[in-house]
Amino acid sequence: MAGNTGSERRPDLAAMVVPLGRALVAAELPVLREHRLAMWAYGVLLRLDDEPVRTQAALARDIGADKTRIIGVLDDLEERGLIHRQPDPSDRRARLLSLTADGRRMRDAVQSAIQEQEERLLARLPEEDRRGFLRALQALAAMPPAEITGESTSP
């Protein structure tokens, strides 16, 4: 807790965010099970959104998954008709990954159910705090990891 600039002590950010994150993930699991999706599969559906991703390795990097372990997730999603893999016209060795219409519907249904749960939690905050919390969380989540850790990105 060292390093506070004010006289008020607070827990470290990770000490507050990690338990909250674990509880939020636990709350998502029944929704994911209902739709027969693993957490990684939901991450894939969210990342693919409406724009194709050029390679499976790029997708794995983007969602923080191991590129060798994501293949089974992609196989399952493709077999279920939720994603489409096609050769990249500019590089036949690469595959473009994209959502199908069913994949978009699945993503939207799952995200809607999860965000309904989140709305019940957020409703416990006064409206002004809620808006500020969401703005701050979005700003922090958009930061590159190197900026958070203080690592240099230059050679």
Side-chain angles (χ1 to χ4, degrees):
M1 282 198 249
N4 284 336
T5 55
S7 60
E8 186 178 321
R9 291 171 50 121
R10 64 162 176 79
D12 298 338
L13 292 178
M16 292 185 285
V17 171
V18 169
L20 175 61
R22 286 185 183 135
L24 291 170
V25 167
E28 289 180 5
L29 290 176
V31 174
L32 295 173
R33 275 194 297 271
E34 178 184 330
H35 291 87
R36 297 183 9 243
L37 285 178
M39 187 65 72
W40 287 118
Y42 180 52
V44 168
L45 296 179
L46 287 173
R47 172 55 188 94
L48 290 181
D49 203 11
D50 290 321
E51 65 182 60
V53 173
R54 186 155 183 250
T55 67
Q56 294 174 176
L59 173 67
R61 182 194 63 238
D62 289 352
I63 66 171
D66 181 276
K67 66 182 177 182
T68 59
R69 299 186 77 200
I70 198 75
I71 293 169
V73 171
L74 297 176
D75 289 343
D76 178 63
L77 291 171
E78 186 175 36
E79 286 169 17
R80 293 174 61 187
L82 302 175
I83 67 166
H84 184 64
R85 291 189 262 196
Q86 64 186 24
D88 183 340
S90 64
D91 180 357
R92 306 289 291 169
R93 297 168 297 171
R95 298 262 183 227
L96 289 175
L97 306 169
S98 58
L99 285 180
T100 64
D102 285 345
R104 265 188 222 66
R105 281 189 288 277
M106 174 72 75
R107 178 209 53 212
D108 293 348
V110 173
Q111 190 171 44
S112 177
I114 287 171
Q115 289 186 359
E116 271 183 40
Q117 291 179 340
E118 293 171 349
E119 289 300 319
R120 288 192 290 276
L121 175 65
L122 291 169
R124 296 178 181 194
L125 298 174
E127 185 62 33
E128 186 176 323
D129 290 350
R130 176 184 176 157
R131 282 194 309 271
F133 173 73
L134 289 172
R135 267 194 315 274
L137 194 55
Q138 287 169 333
L140 292 173
M143 292 175 69
E147 205 172 314
I148 295 169
T149 62
E151 295 175 11
S152 173
T153 55
S154 60

